[in-house]
Amino acid sequence: MKKILTTVAALLLISILGVRIWYVNSSVITIPVETYKVGEWVELDGAFQDVSYENTDGYSLRVKSAAIKSYSDFVREYGESEDYMEEDIRPELVLDVEFEFSNKGNTEGQIELFQYFVEGRYFTMVPNSSLWFLTVPKGEGQMGFVLDQDTSFEFHVPYIFRQMGSVELTGEKIHIIASRAPVKKMIEIQL
């Protein structure tokens, strides 16, 4: 009789645990993911990086191109010498991404460009504000911006590896994260 009660109690506990696991898994909030290709317009439609007050309704973007460059080639392209950055913080490689952003009808939105990370299989790259100052001097190195209503703007964003060092990027498939919530919108690039 004691074995039967122990067995019934164990089965009851396992059943309760199973129902609890099912309930937790069934109520998990998932964020849908949309993937776009180079050249395709990504309508943000209110999707944002960090907080909803970014108010991205009417904003859209596309990646026009992406190129892997050495640090030396990148700074020379924008009229600077290798000494532009201190030697101990110079990246080996720069991923030069050409963006176009558009704003149709929004008078209060903004873009948090500093959160537009590049995610690879085993690495993350981030926009570098010092190098971005070369590509968009009037931005003064600030990695956020507002577009006037019914305008567009094209510019290059230099990405570097989050930690010093580098990974061979040729042949890699990477994703630029254009928004994180309520929809994760990514632009896929094959290097």
Side-chain angles (χ1 to χ4, degrees), residues 2-183:
K2 199 172 190 181
K3 275 187 168 183
I4 293 174
L5 286 176
T6 303
T7 303
V8 168
L11 289 174
L12 183 61
L13 285 173
I14 291 171
S15 297
I16 291 171
L17 181 60
V19 167
R20 177 67 180 152
I21 290 171
W22 170 82
Y23 175 75
V24 167
N25 287 335
S26 69
S27 61
V28 168
I29 297 172
T30 58
I31 296 177
V33 176
E34 295 176 4
T35 304
Y36 299 84
K37 300 285 183 200
V38 172
E40 289 183 313
W41 281 99
V42 179
E43 304 288 334
L44 290 176
D45 293 327
F48 54 90
Q49 288 287 353
D50 190 35
V51 288
S52 62
Y53 73 74
E54 292 169 30
N55 187 17
T56 62
D57 286 323
Y59 275 85
S60 57
L61 70 130
R62 67 178 168 164
V63 169
K64 296 182 78 174
S65 66
I68 305 164
K69 299 178 179 177
S70 70
Y71 165 79
S72 300
D73 288 345
F74 183 84
V75 293
R76 270 193 235 121
E77 185 177 328
Y78 290 96
E80 288 292 336
S81 72
E82 279 193 38
D83 295 330
Y84 177 73
M85 291 177 78
E86 297 290 326
E87 189 172 351
D88 60 334
I89 61 169
R90 286 181 203 154
E92 292 177 37
L93 294 174
V94 176
L95 177 65
D96 183 3
V97 178
E98 183 182 8
F99 283 96
E100 181 176 4
F101 279 81
S102 175
N103 173 12
K104 291 189 172 109
N106 188 326
T107 59
E108 299 177 8
Q110 65 189 37
I111 296 295
E112 304 281 341
L113 189 63
F114 67 93
Q115 294 191 26
Y116 276 58
F117 294 169
V118 170
E119 293 179 350
R121 200 168 22 163
Y122 304 111
F123 61 88
T124 301
M125 298 180 83
V126 295
N128 182 276
S129 61
S130 294
L131 294 174
W132 196 55
F133 183 79
L134 292 177
T135 66
V136 185
K138 67 182 177 183
E140 299 178 353
Q142 299 300 312
M143 300 296 296
F145 61 89
V146 173
L147 283 180
D148 289 335
Q149 182 178 352
D150 301 320
T151 62
S152 65
F153 186 48
E154 295 179 35
F155 53 88
H156 289 252
V157 177
Y159 285 90
I160 64 170
F161 290 99
R162 181 174 267 183
Q163 275 75 30
M164 292 301 285
S166 67
V167 173
E168 176 56 47
L169 291 175
T170 304
E172 284 288 322
K173 185 185 295 184
I174 60 172
H175 295 92
I176 295 176
I177 310 304
S179 69
R180 298 184 188 284
V183 177

